[in-house]
Amino acid sequence: MAKPFFRVSIWILFVPAVLTIILAYGWWSFVKPGPLLQETRIIIKNGTTISQAANILLESGVINNKQLFLFKARFGKFKIIRGEYVFSPGSSMTSVIEKLTKGIVQTTKLVITPSLHGWSIQKRLEPFMSEDAFWLMWENPDFATQAGFPEAPSLEGLIAPATYELSLADDPEEIMIKMLRAFRTQVFPLLEGGVLPPYQTLILASLAEKETNIPEELPKVTGVFYNRLKIRMRLQCDPTSLYARWLSGDLRFTPPTRDDTNRNHPYNTYTTAGLPPSPIAIPSKAAIEAAKNPAATPYLYFVATGNGGHNFSQTLKEHNKYVNSFRNEVNRQRRANRRVRGE
């Protein structure tokens, strides 16, 4: 009678032991160091399935057992959060799953500053979208409408200067919409209440932004341009002649030439009266304020001093005197530089 009892006792001891070993092995499979040898970045795009994510992790060397990963995923019924992930060497499957389900994603800070124009913005966004995708959205009226200016021919000037948190997993449209929403909430309200309609205020502000980097001069610059607009005098803004050059396909970022100022183009304010059709860059808040409230000044002209800042004048005669002073200063600096270089 003891033998059957003995056999039952063995099974009572054996089965829990085996189950314990299996459970311990399963637990160890999830917490042990993974196969990854170096820090690895992967992208989980929107709409990626659990199986597709497992394939990406397997091919990247983050995990070495796809079935185990899928078992855990389906048993836990977890959802993977779209994003850009960075995994450290030896990341366990548990830590991998935790990142994916909690959305512990990597982002990049992208700084967009005043004075940037479309070509500069495109270069900064190159890691996040193709050049073709950028320019397609740039000229899409639906995106301009989201910024609040459906009449705008492009998104020039409609991107808010700010620091954006972006991910390589973001869709290009999402990134652009994020920037346009920032403009709509942060910049658009600032354009109301000026001497010009809001979009024209934005355009005038962009001209001033490109003409001077001295905040105190901005109201004077907009004052000169506003005075010229009132008497229908051409603005003759050098940065617009450069912008016309770039739109014509010549992307040299060099000072304007006689060919540039003589170019017959809607954006060249040397040959076309009034404001250009759109802003030519992102204006700062100070430039917008100056465009809303141009200085009440008698000046119609200004020219750089060559040492920072500008000389403003009321008459062409006085302006020409300052132009000659500027040229003499530039020549003096060139001679001094040649002496320093021993030429």
Side-chain angles (χ1 to χ4, degrees), residues 69-90:
F69 177 86
L70 291 175
F71 169 79
K72 177 71 172 179
R74 287 162 182 163
F75 180 78
K77 296 182 180 179
F78 67 68
K79 294 182 179 179
I80 290 179
I81 298 174
R82 180 271 309 269
E84 176 184 348
Y85 293 90
V86 175
F87 295 103
S88 303

Side-chain angles (χ1 to χ4, degrees), residues 43 115 130 148 172 250 286 306:
I43 307 299
S115 87
S130 70
D250 182 349

Side-chain angles (χ1 to χ4, degrees), residues 211-334:
E211 283 283 12
T212 181
N213 57 8
I214 301 175
E216 295 77 15
E217 284 191 346
L218 289 168
K220 276 188 177 182
V221 171
T222 57
V224 168
F225 287 145
Y226 186 59
N227 287 343
R228 288 192 169 207
L229 287 171
K230 286 190 294 184
I231 62 175
R232 298 185 179 180
M233 181 179 178
R234 290 180 183 175
L235 301 184
Q236 296 182 317
C237 171
D238 281 354
T240 65
S241 68
L242 285 178
Y243 197 85
R245 177 208 286 179
W246 302 331
L247 284 176
S248 300
D250 182 349
L251 293 180
R252 287 178 299 131
F253 294 92
T254 54
T257 64
R258 188 175 296 276
D259 287 341
D260 294 321
T261 56
N262 289 338
R263 180 179 284 109
N264 186 18
H265 194 282
Y267 278 83
N268 181 17
T269 56
Y270 275 90
T271 59
T272 303
L275 292 166
S278 79
I280 60 172
I282 297 174
S284 61
K285 287 184 179 180
I288 291 173
E289 188 59 35
K292 286 171 62 177
N293 302 287
T297 172
Y299 300 135
L300 286 173
Y301 306 90
F302 64 91
V303 65
T305 64
N307 289 307
H310 294 79
N311 284 317
F312 294 81
S313 52
Q314 186 174 353
T315 66
L316 182 59
K317 182 179 179 179
E318 186 181 15
H319 174 66
N320 287 336
K321 182 187 73 173
Y322 284 136
V323 170
N324 288 331
S325 297
F326 167 71
R327 289 171 178 167
N328 291 335
E329 176 60 24
V330 170
N331 289 331
R332 185 195 68 78
Q333 291 178 17
R334 286 174 178 169

Side-chain angles (χ1 to χ4, degrees), residues 36-42 56-57 60-62 85-89 99:
L36 202 58
L37 299 178
Q38 61 185 9
E39 185 176 271
T40 298
R41 185 183 304 264
I42 70 164
I56 293 171
L57 294 168
S60 302
V62 178
Y85 293 90
V86 175
F87 295 103
S88 303
K99 273 194 174 185

